[in-house]
Amino acid sequence: MAWRFRVIEAERRLVLTYAPSLEAGAALAALFALDDKLAETLRTTSEPMLGQIRMQWWHDALTRLDSAPPPAEPVLQGVARDVLRQGVSGASVAGVVDGWQMLLQTELDDAALLAYAERGRRLFEIAGLVASANGADPVAKAGEGWALADLSGKLSDPGEAAAARRIAEGLLGEACAARWSRNGRALGAMAHLARMELEGEPVGSPKRTLRALWHRMSGR
């Protein structure tokens, strides 16, 4: 598991180099660090009520960044330093939390899965904004598909996992069919890598790296 996490981190570092500037790359890194932290928060919470309390803390803490300095919490400090200075509000970033909260439900039907996909859509939309992605880039579909593809491999219920995969395949199919602008290619690459994982290509394989590099050059 630790090996897989390191490989995923290496792939992400590669993709973040596609950002159009150092400032945009730092903002994207801060956003995905937040997403990782929220994932860890739920993963280490066994009681739904406690999970709701912890998620609400993050939502409130992000919103407070609009009116107060960040507390001594590295992820919040990163968001304040690298994302909010790009003209994004803390309240907007807090929307990422809303999607994660859907996992506290006892049953994930299609409607709940689509609400969960708000996690990826909001994350990618903010990332696209700070990277100045083209308005024609399918940022929302890529983000939703990426989030559901990630979730499909972690759900223990076979029916819920299959439903998440089915919806992700449709969304990622649309996102990967587009030609992405140069500024949006970090997010486009993440969509392509998520699609390859659904197709069974293991994380860290040379084929995935070559696909990401081709996307960087071509936008396809």
Side-chain angles (χ1 to χ4, degrees):
M1 185 63 71
W3 175 87
R4 176 181 167 84
F5 181 77
R6 288 195 297 270
V7 173
I8 291 173
E9 282 293 297
E11 277 194 349
R12 184 182 294 176
R13 286 195 298 271
L14 170 65
V15 167
L16 290 180
T17 66
Y18 300 2
S21 67
L22 290 176
E23 293 79 10
L28 267 60
L31 286 167
F32 288 107
L34 169 65
D35 190 65
D36 289 343
K37 189 67 174 181
L38 295 174
E40 179 188 0
T41 298
L42 279 190
R43 187 171 60 249
T44 57
T45 302
S46 57
E47 295 294 331
M49 182 62 70
L50 179 58
Q52 187 64 48
I53 292 171
R54 296 176 75 181
M55 285 289 113
Q56 189 61 48
W57 184 91
W58 278 100
H59 191 284
D60 293 345
L62 288 162
T63 301
R64 279 195 298 270
L65 294 179
D66 290 332
S67 57
E73 203 294 322
V75 170
L76 291 173
Q77 291 178 338
V79 170
R81 180 186 63 245
D82 297 320
V83 181
L84 269 59
R85 288 183 182 177
Q86 303 295 322
V88 177
S89 71
S92 180
V93 179
V96 176
V97 180
D98 296 335
W100 277 111
Q101 287 178 316
M102 297 305 300
L103 296 187
L104 296 169
Q105 293 191 187
T106 56
E107 183 176 333
L108 293 174
D109 56 15
D110 280 11
L113 288 170
L114 287 171
Y116 163 80
E118 169 76 6
R119 162 208 172 192
R121 181 175 69 81
R122 183 63 64 93
L123 198 70
F124 273 47
E125 285 179 341
I126 296 170
L129 178 65
V130 300
S132 300
N134 190 296
D137 291 334
V139 170
K141 291 185 186 303
E144 291 171 348
W146 170 83
L148 288 168
D150 176 58
L151 180 65
S152 70
K154 297 173 181 175
L155 290 172
S156 58
D157 184 287
E160 292 177 349
R165 180 187 180 92
R166 169 177 50 79
I167 299 171
E169 286 173 341
L171 291 164
L172 290 172
E174 293 185 56
C176 293
R179 180 171 185 174
W180 287 69
S181 70
R182 187 164 298 279
N183 287 358
R185 288 180 192 176
L187 302 177
M190 292 187 72
H192 278 284
L193 292 174
R195 189 184 193 192
M196 292 183 77
E197 189 159 4
L198 285 179
E199 294 169 350
E201 189 64 36
V203 174
S205 73
K207 187 175 180 180
R208 286 170 65 94
T209 302
L210 289 173
R211 185 67 186 84
L213 291 172
W214 172 247
H215 181 73
R216 180 176 192 170
M217 292 186 293
S218 68
R220 293 289 189 181

